[in-house]
Amino acid sequence: MEIDQLNSRIRSCSKCRLSETRTNAVCGEGDRDARIMLVAQSPGENEDEEGIMFIGPSGDVLDDLFDNSGMERDKIYMTNLLKCMLPDYRKPKQNEIETCSTYLDEEIEIVDPDILVPLGYYSTRYLFKKYDLSFDATFSDMIGELVLADDKKIYPLAHPASLLYDDSFEEEMKTHYEKLTDLLKPCRWYDICPMKRFYEEGKIERRWVELYCKGDWQSCVRYQKEEKGEYHPDSMLPNGEIKEELESIGDKR
Ligand code: SF4
């Protein structure tokens, strides 16, 4: 299989200086038909020793976050931006990212996930650049914000290991990881929602449907009102804005 051939190139790679200090180059793992791909920055010490992704304390935190959200490891594909450990946990250098990210690009092409979930600053910056998205907010403001990129969605999250150093944002992180399961299924109101009809008729942009109805539908104002049985006009967009042109269209039907 294509991915096996790619992994064998990764395991024997010596394209950059990190090959001199690693024990194992760590390949991606998981469902090769996954709709979600997690992209961490680089292997840690345990991963480097065993050649396996997300083991040791950070793997335990990830498993807890998944258990809490109902997500299963084998339903997603997990990989790294850099396949080899960084000595002394230093920051990655730009030339290392440029050299190694060709493997990630190949993985994205082969697995072809719908949703890319970069974990941490460097993976997020890389994916935003790859898809020509502006990267002008601070990373902490981007965490948990779903973004549309060509035929993919990008959902940046904090790396699970960050909870090992500071657990004050554990609840926030749990909420963000819980949304991973939401992203796998559309809003339960989608089939009867006027937004579906407006989109199919070309009256609203694709981003409304992709980012809300088939994305983070829990944050949709229409969804929230629907769940509470509160009135909301057809002309109300998922973010709560009223688009008056839609009012007249809805009224005619
Ligand atoms: S607009 Fe909101 S309520 Fe309607 S289908 Fe989309 S997410 Fe659900």
Side-chain angles (χ1 to χ4, degrees):
M1 280 183 75
E2 268 179 296
I3 206 116
D4 294 322
Q5 288 163 4
L6 170 65
N7 288 347
S8 101
R9 281 191 280 131
I10 291 171
R11 282 192 200 96
S12 59
C13 180
S14 55
K15 287 197 294 178
C16 88
R17 65 174 89 78
L18 296 178
S19 62
E20 294 162 17
T21 47
R22 73 168 186 234
T23 307
N24 287 293
V26 180
C27 301
E29 287 169 23
D31 180 0
R32 294 169 181 196
D33 295 316
R35 290 187 54 215
I36 293 184
M37 180 185 278
L38 250 59
V39 183
Q41 177 194 282
S42 54
E45 267 174 26
N46 293 297
E47 286 92 356
D48 175 63
E49 263 167 43
E50 303 291 329
I52 299 172
M53 286 213 57
F54 278 116
I55 51 171
S58 65
D60 292 342
V61 177
L62 181 71
D63 287 339
D64 287 347
L65 289 164
F66 278 0
D67 283 349
N68 179 65
S69 71
M71 176 60 79
E72 291 163 40
R73 260 196 198 219
D74 58 8
K75 288 226 169 70
I76 58 167
Y77 194 84
M78 299 185 291
T79 191
N80 281 301
L81 173 62
L82 297 179
K83 309 304 183 197
C84 297
M85 186 178 73
L86 290 155
D88 304 321
Y89 287 96
R90 69 160 168 78
K91 292 177 181 167
K93 296 192 187 327
Q94 190 52 31
N95 60 356
E96 293 162 350
I97 293 174
E98 278 164 18
T99 306
C100 198
S101 57
T102 57
Y103 294 130
L104 173 62
D105 291 343
E106 286 187 64
E107 285 176 302
I108 293 173
E109 211 169 306
I110 296 168
V111 177
D112 193 22
D114 300 329
I115 303 146
L116 291 160
V117 182
L119 304 180
Y121 171 81
Y122 286 98
S123 308
T124 303
R125 192 185 68 175
Y126 177 74
L127 289 175
F128 270 57
K129 203 167 157 216
K130 175 177 170 67
Y131 290 99
D132 289 328
L133 297 168
S134 70
F135 190 81
D136 48 13
T138 59
F139 176 62
S140 56
D141 291 337
M142 300 165 90
I143 296 174
E145 293 295 320
L146 189 66
V147 175
L148 197 57
D150 294 343
D151 63 336
K152 312 256 178 259
K153 289 168 207 171
I154 302 183
Y155 181 57
L157 290 180
H159 194 286
S162 51
L163 277 190
L164 297 170
Y165 307 102
D166 177 2
D167 63 6
S168 63
F169 52 94
E170 185 175 358
E171 288 312 309
E172 187 187 353
M173 198 141 153
K174 276 185 181 167
T175 308
H176 288 153
Y177 275 75
E178 276 166 12
K179 282 203 179 163
L180 286 174
T181 47
D182 293 346
L183 296 177
L184 290 175
K185 54 184 189 293
C187 170
R188 71 194 192 105
W189 299 105
Y190 185 56
D191 283 339
I192 56 162
C193 184
M195 293 303 120
K196 177 175 189 280
R197 175 164 50 83
F198 290 149
Y199 170 62
E200 287 168 353
E201 290 171 355
K203 312 239 164 60
I204 58 168
E205 294 164 55
R206 175 173 159 258
R207 68 189 167 99
W208 294 112
V209 168
E210 292 296 335
L211 294 180
Y212 289 93
C213 314
K214 296 180 182 175
D216 183 9
W217 40 266
Q218 292 227 36
S219 68
C220 171
V221 176
R222 296 189 62 88
Y223 166 82
Q224 290 159 7
K225 288 189 175 291
E226 200 73 58
E227 290 292 301
K228 287 188 223 150
E230 288 175 7
Y231 171 73
H232 49 293
D234 283 3
S235 54
M236 179 184 278
L237 290 166
N239 67 351
E241 269 173 44
I242 301 292
K243 188 173 176 180
E244 278 168 18
E245 308 93 273
L246 296 178
E247 194 155 13
S248 51
I249 296 165
D251 287 349
K252 278 184 208 151
R253 294 181 75 102

